[in-house]
Each structure stands twice: as structure tokens, then as C-alpha cells.
Amino acid sequence: MEPRGINQPNVTEWFEGNVPDVKAPLEFTLIAGGRSNLTFRVTDSAGHEWALRRPPVSHVLPTAHDMSREYRVITALVPTKVPVPVTIGLCTDPAVNEQPFYVMEFVNGHILRGAGAVTKAFEAATIRGIGDSIADTLATLHAVDVEAVGLSDLARHEGYIDRQIRRWSQQFHDMIVNGEDHGGIVESVGAELAANIPEQKGVSIVHGDYRLDNTVIGDDGKVRAILDWEICTLGDAMADVGVLMCYWNDGSDTNTIPDVSATSSTGMATKAEVLARYAETSGRDVSDVGFYTAFGYWKLACILQGVYCRYLNGAGAGDSAPVDTYPAQIRRLAQTAATTLAAR
């Protein structure tokens, strides 16, 4: 059966004309876990594998899900020390698959989402080093010279947090479902964040959603690839650190995000250790991390609102996991952002 979001005959023909050594027929399998841009594993008759990324199948915002931009960023980083998949081709012809898509190598390894996955895959000595590699890899990304890799014009260099607050506030507003605005807490926290933005120090490539399960971890506990560059831009490196802190639950944090228990596995580095490792490797002042963590929680509330709206409008492409708990999660994220901002 043809997977939703893939015109199998057309995409197969495109593969045959643009991907070296492909052997039709092709099998397309939606990879679970992604709830915005869709990722498919593509396997040919000879067992070769690739990853294909495309926008959601419905309710696509005009400024989101830009495949050309995502492809450009990853391609620019391939020659650097930042671990990314090697890009293979970009298709922008709507006659092929209605929406643009791109193809890259399929990087094998571990995508860690649960505590059981960590202890099953790694010995204790290797587990301890995963947090170090996550921190070091982020520092490597933030050290990239944006002009040297041809990405200086990707976005404005200054005013990142202000731009982000305005962008996500608008997207949250556009994605409100049945008039449910969660009591206005998302808007009020956004206004409080806007009134307390720290000074931006320099410009870096900002991944935007950097966390353990957006990386592929090798058997040695090192990051083999950073995935999901959908909201990457230029701006304040500390925003990535804040998001990482949101997701890095070490068991002592009561503000946990569902389904991120891998970081609390026995032997994993603590949140404080990951932050200290990043500070040491990058040489950055991380004293304002409380603000950026609050911003991270707030941004996640806005993102989750968009995911919720898209899924209600049929953009799951076969991912039928329930989303009925999302409204409560959105409110909780916004409330956590408010608490974190007040305590910074």
C-alpha cells in the first residue's frame, strides 16, 4: 500500500534519475517520532537505504516546513566537523510529489527515547560519555563560522529572541483550535519573556530543537548525526542550550517533558554536568540559562499547539498516536515557562 505523503511511482522515477546506484522497486516507511516534517526510510531492492524528508500532508503554514532551507543548512555543514547526514538531492517540482522533498543518507545508530533503550544498548562506561558528546557536539555547531559555510544570509544576525517570540506568538495564534487559548497564559508568558531578553552575544547557527532524541548515537556513545533541522536559523546560541536543558531530565527535575526518560537512565550525565561541559567546551557564559530554559518551555508550548492543530486536520500521514492530552501539555509547558522565568 502506498504510504500517505508519497506518490510512489513519481518519487521512484525521481530516485532513478537523481540518486546513484538505486535499484527499484522502492519501499517507503514512515519513521515514527516525527510530528511535523515527515521522515521516511527508503529501501531499494538491493538493501540500500536513504532518508526522505517532506512537509506535513496538510495544514502547512506559509513560513514553515521549508525543505530547501533545511537541505541548504545540512549541505553547508557536511564539510564541517558537525555530524550531519550527507545530502543527496532536493526536489522542488510539485508535479513529482505535490510538496518539495529532499533525500539524504540514512545514518544507522541509536535514537534514544526511553531509559530502557539506553541501558539495553550501552555499557555503563559508554553511557556516561553520551552527555559529554551531546554537549561537545552542540558547542561544535555553535563554533561554525556562518560566513565561511555560506550561511550568513540565512537570517538576520541580531535580535534573535525578539524575532522568535514574535514568530511563535503568531504561529500559536494561527493554530488555536476551537477558540481554546489556554486562558491566555501563552500570551502572558511571551510578553514577560519579551520584556526580559538578555543581550545576545555573537551569532551562531541555532538548531532550534537540539535534544538527545534528535541525534543518532553510535555504539561508542558519540553523536553520529544531528537530525531534524526544520527550525534552524541564525541567532543566539544560548537558545539551543535552553531547549536542551528543557529536555534533559536527570530525575531531579519536576518539570519533566513526557517521553524523554532516556536522559534519566542510570549512569547518564546530569543536567548540571551537561551544562558545565558545554560551558567548558564552548567557552560561553551560561549564567542566563534560566531565561533561555524558560524561553525553551514557552516555545515548545507554541510548537505543540501547531502539532495538535495539524493532527486534528489530518496531517499525521499514518502516525495515529493520540493527541488528546496535548492541550493539558501545552498549558503545563507554558506554566513551567512562567515558573522557570520567575526563578531564574
Side-chain angles (χ1 to χ4, degrees), residues 200-228:
Q200 179 176 318
K201 299 179 177 68
V203 61
S204 297
I205 298 172
V206 178
H207 179 275
D209 197 21
Y210 187 78
R211 61 184 197 256
L212 178 60
D213 66 332
N214 269 344
T215 66
V216 179
I217 304 296
D219 290 337
D220 59 357
K222 307 290 187 184
V223 176
R224 295 199 65 210
I226 307 174
L227 307 177
D228 290 357

Side-chain angles (χ1 to χ4, degrees), residues 14-39:
W14 183 90
F15 260 77
E16 290 176 322
N18 293 276
V19 179
D21 303 321
V22 66
K23 306 291 183 185
L26 304 181
E27 179 180 352
F28 300 85
T29 306
L30 179 67
I31 298 174
R35 289 201 156 185
S36 189
N37 283 346
L38 304 175
T39 306

Side-chain angles (χ1 to χ4, degrees), residues 116-194:
V118 176
T119 54
K120 181 179 179 180
F122 301 104
E123 299 292 334
T126 304
I127 291 173
R128 180 60 186 82
I130 294 173
D132 289 348
S133 182
I134 287 289
D136 292 349
T137 301
L138 186 59
T140 299
L141 171 64
H142 291 161
V144 170
D145 184 328
V146 298
E147 292 198 11
V149 297
L151 293 177
S152 183
D153 62 344
L154 186 69
R156 285 173 50 195
H157 291 199
E158 69 286 341
Y160 171 76
I161 295 294
D162 178 66
R163 285 185 284 122
Q164 286 282 293
I165 292 170
R166 286 186 281 108
R167 173 192 176 184
W168 291 111
S169 293
Q170 185 62 53
Q171 291 204 14
F172 172 81
H173 180 269
D174 292 345
M175 292 293 199
I176 289 175
V177 178
N178 299 326
E180 174 54 71
D181 67 352
H182 311 291
I185 187 170
V186 174
E187 291 92 338
S188 64
V189 174
E192 186 69 15
L193 286 164

